[in-house]
């Protein structure tokens, strides 16, 4: 097995792992442990910040060999029997994770992001990468986010819980990283970034945070661990970033509430597709990147979306240059992708293969085309489809039904229209209202108020294409389109006799609101 960078002696619970001697000591006595089981334990400890898949473990422990999966299970069982069943967690369908908390002396792989406090036993350390590596990368350059940075910095200074909410792939994590790095020096005990995406159980939250902060927790139940963590943080003046809360939002809310109550100088910055819904929470909904107001080269380069595309396209192909010949196509690509940061990055990575015009011509099939993401990115950010599926799986069955049915809507639409189109079978019009509200909260549908005070809803085109795919898979395409046709045909028929009367102007404005759906 390749040599790792972790410390020579690893201490947790009743155990000590001595790497030079390849020995595990339990309760002061050397334990009998086979070479493969020892290697397995070391790999899990080294990658304790994430779930390690079964295939990855098989490749590392038995390189170049074809081995049955039950061999892995035998060694995991042996380790659990020796170290305690709580030491290694099975993540169904994904793999295994080391869940014990290492003593502070065993944190040689963590990277310091801020000066530690005067208390030597409390050093704030964390990883910023979303991959299996001990190297810490710099945060990516942000484009067009200066106003967001300023607002968020003010919010974090003024409030103890700030949540950055927004759709998947919109750039919440990059923004939170940038804010945390910029503000780390403002907190006596620094800051820590905790990635919750690999976790599958809310009970893992407290141990994961404790591990990142080098704290040892005692307790038999999840509630005990939360209280122990809260007690340990009571005098800390620091910023903790809880990144990717959406799949564990209830557990994250409970933990955040406990931490804030116990630690009066602690500040939390969360990222999530929906708010935590806690008292005094300040929600900042991050929007898509700005699009150009014109298509000249100078105008285009003022927009964050185009600057991001230019940077990533040049990184993928050094021959790429944004110029007068391709700027119109680049602006159109960014507009078609609604200024979604992840979609733009994935599109830019395809320029080397397709060219700008070829990419532009294929965006109608973006869910297939935009799949060339970075190998070091989180799995859900390597393809556009994966990012959307991550969001979709967080919805209830009824919310998924309303989401896919609203995919037939082109452009903005009103509440009445959404109820007429999406309410059928087991979902009535009032249920649609509730589920639409949930989709807005989860950042899958945007909402804005027009000049007359009416709330109007809209799906970003990328979301809409995915919703239409799911609609076809559900076999509801024809029924939903028929309801869409009936809804807007009724509107057109109601307007027809009014277009030659005194209310013509008002009706023309009314039809203009739904022009995209009437065409």
């Amino acid at each position: 097995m390749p040599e790792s960078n972790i410390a020579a002696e690893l201490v947790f619970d009743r155990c000590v792992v001595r790497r030079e001697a390849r020995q595990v000591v339990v309760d002061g006595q050397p334990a009998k442990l086979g070479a493969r089981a020892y290697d397995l334990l070391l790999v899990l400890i080294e990658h304790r910040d994430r779930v390690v898949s079964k295939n990855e473990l098989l490749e590392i422990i038995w390189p170049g060999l074809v081995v049955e999966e039950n061999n892995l299970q035998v060694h995991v069982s042996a380790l659990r029997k020796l170290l305690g069943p709580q030491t290694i967690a099975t993540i169904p369908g994904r793999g295994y994770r080391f869940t014990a908390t290492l003593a502070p002396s065993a944190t040689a792989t963590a990277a310091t992001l801020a000066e530690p406090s005067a208390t030597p036993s409390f050093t704030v350390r964390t990883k910023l990468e979303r991959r299996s590596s001990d190297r810490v990368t710099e945060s990516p350059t942000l484009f067009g986010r200066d106003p967001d940075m300023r607002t968020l910095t003010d919010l974090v200074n003024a409030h103890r819980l700030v949540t950055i909410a927004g759709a998947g792939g919109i750039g919440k994590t990059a923004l939170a990283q940038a804010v945390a790095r910029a503000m780390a020096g403002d907190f006596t005990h620094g800051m820590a970034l905790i990635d919750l995406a690999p976790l599958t159980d809310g009970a893992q939250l407290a141990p994961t945070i404790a591990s990142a902060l080098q704290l040892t927790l005692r307790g038999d139940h999840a509630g005990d661990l939360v209280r122990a963590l809260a007690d340990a943080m009571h005098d800390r003046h620091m910023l903790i970033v809880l990144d990717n809360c959406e799949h564990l939002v209830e557990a994250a809310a409970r933990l955040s509430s406990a931490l804030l109550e116990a630690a009066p100088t602690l500040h939390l910055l969360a990222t999530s597709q929906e708010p935590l819904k806690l008292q005094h929470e300040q929600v900042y909904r991050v929007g898509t990147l700005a699009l150009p107001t014109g298509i000249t080269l100078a105008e285009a380069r003022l927009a964050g979306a185009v600057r991001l595309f230019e940077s990533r396209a040049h990184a993928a192909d050094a021959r790429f240059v944004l110029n007068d010949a391709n700027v119109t196509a680049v602006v159109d690509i960014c507009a078609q992708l609604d200024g979604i940061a992840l979609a733009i990055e994935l599109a830019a990575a395809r320029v080397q293969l397709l060219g700008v015009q070829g990419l532009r011509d294929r965006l109608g099939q973006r869910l297939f085309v935009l799949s060339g993401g970075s190998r070091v990115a989180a799995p859900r950010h390597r393809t556009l489809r994966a990012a959307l599926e991550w969001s979709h799986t967080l919805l209830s069955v009824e919310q998924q039904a309303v989401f896919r049915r609203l995919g037939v809507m082109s452009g903005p639409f009103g509440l009445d229209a959404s109820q007429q189109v999406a309410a059928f079978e087991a979902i009535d019009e009032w249920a649609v209202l509730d589920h639409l509200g949930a989709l807005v909260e989860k950042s899958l549908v945007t909402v804005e108020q027009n000049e007359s005070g009416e709330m109007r809803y809209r799906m970003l085109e990328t979301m809409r294409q995915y919703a239409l795919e799911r609609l076809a898979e559900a076999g509801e395409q024809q029924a939903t389109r028929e309801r869409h046709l009936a809804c807007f045909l009724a509107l057109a028929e109601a307007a027809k006799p009014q277009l030659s009367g005194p209310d013509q102007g008002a009706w023309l404005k009314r039809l203009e609101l739904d022009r995209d759906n009437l065409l």
Side-chain angles (χ1 to χ4, degrees), residues 264-341:
T265 56
L266 179 69
H267 287 240
L268 299 179
L269 176 60
T271 74
S272 178
Q273 292 184 22
E274 62 177 307
L276 302 186
K277 295 185 178 179
L278 291 177
Q279 188 178 18
H280 306 307
E281 176 187 21
Q282 298 295 306
V283 179
Y284 183 79
R285 287 201 173 270
V286 60
T288 55
L289 291 171
L291 297 169
T293 55
I295 57 173
T296 67
L297 195 58
E299 290 170 325
R301 281 203 169 113
L302 293 175
V306 174
R307 288 164 56 205
L308 175 62
F309 184 95
E310 180 181 17
S311 172
R312 298 296 187 266
H314 183 73
D317 184 356
R319 298 169 298 176
F320 173 81
V321 176
L322 184 66
N323 53 38
D324 291 328
N326 61 25
V327 66
T328 300
V330 168
V331 169
D332 187 46
I333 289 169
C334 293
Q336 287 194 55
L337 296 176
D338 301 301
I340 299 174

Side-chain angles (χ1 to χ4, degrees), residues 364-435:
Q365 298 296 320
R366 68 191 67 184
L367 297 180
F368 297 96
V369 173
L370 304 186
S371 59
S374 169
R375 291 187 179 89
V376 302
R380 70 185 186 282
H381 285 166
R382 293 177 191 171
T383 72
L384 189 58
R385 184 184 301 279
L388 295 171
E389 287 176 348
W390 166 269
S391 301
H392 187 260
T393 57
L394 301 177
L395 302 177
S396 68
V397 173
E398 293 80 9
Q399 290 165 0
Q400 289 178 355
V402 173
F403 170 75
R404 64 178 177 258
R405 293 168 187 175
L406 293 179
V408 301
M409 297 292 199
S410 299
F413 55 89
L415 176 60
D416 288 345
S418 70
Q419 291 177 308
Q420 292 178 52
V421 170
F424 61 92
E425 293 184 352
I427 300 176
D428 63 25
E429 291 188 355
W430 296 112
V432 170
L433 174 63
D434 291 337
H435 299 322

Side-chain angles (χ1 to χ4, degrees), residues 9-31:
E9 189 170 275
L10 308 167
V11 182
F12 58 93
D13 295 336
R14 305 170 293 117
C15 310
V16 179
V17 179
R18 295 171 178 163
R19 294 188 59 236
E20 291 185 3
R22 288 181 61 84
Q23 183 183 61
V24 176
V25 176
V26 181
D27 291 329
Q29 299 297 319

Side-chain angles (χ1 to χ4, degrees), residues 68-135:
E68 295 294 331
E69 188 178 304
N70 63 351
N71 283 293
L72 183 61
Q73 295 169 348
V74 168
H75 291 305
V76 169
S77 297
L79 288 172
R80 285 174 173 158
K81 185 176 181 180
L82 176 66
L83 308 175
Q86 76 286 349
T87 305
I88 300 173
T90 300
I91 312 302
R94 298 181 61 191
Y96 300 99
R97 183 169 187 176
F98 182 83
T99 53
T101 301
L102 295 185
S105 61
T107 55
T109 58
T112 304
L113 289 184
E115 288 299 318
S117 70
T119 307
S121 63
F122 192 87
T123 304
V124 181
R125 303 172 187 269
T126 186
K127 284 181 183 287
L128 286 180
E129 286 191 281
R130 301 296 191 267
R131 64 189 179 103
S132 170
S133 172
D134 290 318
R135 299 189 306 274

